[in-house]
Amino acid sequence: MSLSAPPREPTRTDRLLAAVGGLLAAYVSLAVADLAAFWVRPEASPVPAVGGAVVDRTPAALKDWAIRAFGESDKAVLQLGILVLLGVLAVGIGLLALRHRPLGSAAVGAFGVLGALAAVTRPDSDSAMDAVPSLVGSAAGALLLYVLTGRLTRGAGAGSEAARADRRSFLVVAASTGLAATGAAALARAVGSPVAENAAASRAALRLPRPASPAPAVPPGAQLDVPGISPFVTPNRDFYRVDTALVVPRVDADRWHLRLHGGGVRRDVTYTLRELMSRPAIERDITLACVSNEVGGPYVGNARWLGVPLAGLLREAGVRPPSEGGPADQLVARSVDGMAIGTPVEQVMDGRDALLAFGMNGEPLPFSHGFPVRMLVPGLYGYVSACKWIESIELTTFDAYDAYWVPRGWSAEAPVKTQSRIDTPRPFAGPAAGTVMVAGVAWAQHRGIRRVEVRIDDGPWQEARLAAEDSSDTWRQWAHPWEAAPGRHTLTVRATDGTGATQPEERTDTMPNGAQGWHSVVVTVEGA
Ligand SMILES: Nc1nc2c(c(=O)[nH]1)N[C@H]1C(S)=C(S)[C@@H](COP(=O)(O)O)O[C@H]1N2
Ligand SMILES: [Mo]
């Protein structure tokens, strides 16, 4: 039982245990880092920090593919990928530690340094404290690996009593550390990060102002009574979510402010939420769509938003649109998580209801939709208008600055393209022969929808019944009763917008400025 016994050759069991030790060291590193991040900042935890760095460096085409392949799970898939890669590396490090203990621990430390670098170089990091979770976590992991592998190769022989005692001790240390890390992480999650708690409390305490200009009541005919059609108003919990945030920012409304600055602004202005909410608020129904929405895709939703008109705020600060000689043609909105979204100043100030919104369907913005304040500009895709968790607005020019998505291959300016979607019947459905309601939604925000037509197979285009128009900024439901004969049929839809332009047949990619083309659905009608 002497500590000075010379190391022996590792057996297969030793190697297996070393691999387990490596995995456990990685697990404990991440758990401890997560724990530390609860006090520092949840976003500074290594997996979201590294994941965020990966997201920002992912080629646009790959990101677009990921959104299409994994939908709103793309972030979970990315983080799972990082964990799997870490797992493989951890096994390698465990085996390395068996040969060379200090080197194994040094490797764990090196990953800690990488995580720390990722955390402090995130655009939303404003403190070196963000390095702490990764460093503390990896230090714990490195120490654990050192202790564990120390139990593996001491002793005269693999079968000796000393070696057996060491293995028992390995298992005891491993099990207790693993349990302790799991327990601590679970406890921290249950208690909640103080940062997130303050944000949740500030949201719970928020009283939305009454709109000086309420939205007109939704016309009764705007909602068709067709099972399976998208509801005219998308409930918040069903509203699509697209953003780059791996951890949803939880902003404390009591400490939030918005800075307005840049070309044409008389002098920098800063608004608190209270100041913003004390201005006359307007309430509007606006349909928001994502440029990554494929023909027939789900990334579009309609809500009743409450906020203050952005144009008025800009005017007050001295901003004039380019058509009135203003020096800035681009408004860059930046968020607490480092997003930068560029919007044409001309459109923001042309009379449409561009908003700094704080209410969504009668409640404060949900955290995932930008609490406490986001921007919205009817008629423009979200990536060029709808900055969530906004914290500053800079007036600049398109020549002088490329917003986040532009170097990634997306157009700097992107009005929404007219789209129509068949919600029901679903693709590959098998309705019974007879009257089948073909129905869905069509949108061309700020131009409005004038006509929707449906085609069965290669038949003539037939005009669908349009639901009442709420506003030209919202989508419009449509329905068409079809006398369905047994067999396989292709249903196709196309819309005509308020300018008289009909959706072109040709499909284009979502990149660089939105998909176009006709949506069709294939169904097999069951015989009578
Ligand atoms: N801060 C921030 N704001 C953002 C984004 C983002 O990644 N970060 N994504 C934009 C995109 S691409 C779209 S389509 C809309 C989606 O808003 P939603 O998630 O509330 O539906 O938010 C926009 N605002
Ligand atoms: Mo988007």
Side-chain angles (χ1 to χ4, degrees), residues 190-285:
V191 170
S193 150
V195 186
E197 290 303 296
N198 288 342
S202 75
R203 184 172 181 276
L206 197 68
R207 292 285 159 269
L208 292 176
R210 244 175 227 296
S213 163
V218 174
Q223 171 73 56
L224 300 178
D225 186 18
V226 177
I229 201 170
S230 304
F232 178 73
V233 176
T234 314
N236 289 356
R237 65 174 180 283
D238 298 336
F239 207 96
Y240 81 92
R241 174 182 164 211
V242 170
D243 55 58
T244 58
L246 292 173
V247 174
V248 172
R250 289 179 182 257
V251 178
D252 182 345
D254 299 325
R255 298 173 57 180
W256 177 87
H257 33 73
L258 174 72
R259 177 171 174 234
L260 173 58
H261 64 117
V265 177
R266 245 181 270 107
R267 75 190 147 75
D268 282 26
V269 210
T270 303
Y271 301 93
T272 62
L273 186 59
R274 194 182 298 271
E275 286 164 345
L276 209 62
M277 294 204 319
S278 67
R279 301 173 65 90
I282 66 173
E283 184 188 47
R284 295 291 182 266
D285 297 337

Side-chain angles (χ1 to χ4, degrees), residues 297-321:
Y299 301 135
V300 55
N302 181 48
R304 177 156 285 199
W305 308 91
L306 175 70
V308 296
L310 178 52
L313 213 73
L314 295 175
R315 286 254 174 225
E316 212 175 276
V319 178
R320 280 164 301 128

Side-chain angles (χ1 to χ4, degrees), residues 239-245 288-291 305 335 337 339 341 368-369 374 382-383 386-389 405:
F239 207 96
Y240 81 92
R241 174 182 164 211
V242 170
D243 55 58
T244 58
L288 179 63
C290 180
V291 71
W305 308 91
S335 70
D337 64 327
M339 176 51 60
I341 285 184
S368 58
H369 294 291
R374 76 175 306 167
Y383 86 104
C387 188
K388 306 194 275 190
W389 314 293
W405 297 104

Side-chain angles (χ1 to χ4, degrees), residues 300-379:
V300 55
N302 181 48
R304 177 156 285 199
W305 308 91
L306 175 70
V308 296
L310 178 52
L313 213 73
L314 295 175
R315 286 254 174 225
E316 212 175 276
V319 178
R320 280 164 301 128
S323 59
E324 292 175 30
D329 63 1
Q330 181 177 218
L331 180 160
V332 175
R334 292 192 175 82
S335 70
V336 301
D337 64 327
M339 176 51 60
I341 285 184
T343 311
V345 176
E346 195 63 50
Q347 262 97 311
V348 169
M349 302 187 77
D350 72 358
R352 71 185 75 197
D353 291 317
L355 288 182
L356 286 173
F358 31 71
M360 180 179 187
N361 289 331
E363 56 170 305
L365 289 178
F367 286 113
S368 58
H369 294 291
F371 181 83
V373 178
R374 76 175 306 167
M375 226 175 95
L376 284 171
V377 184

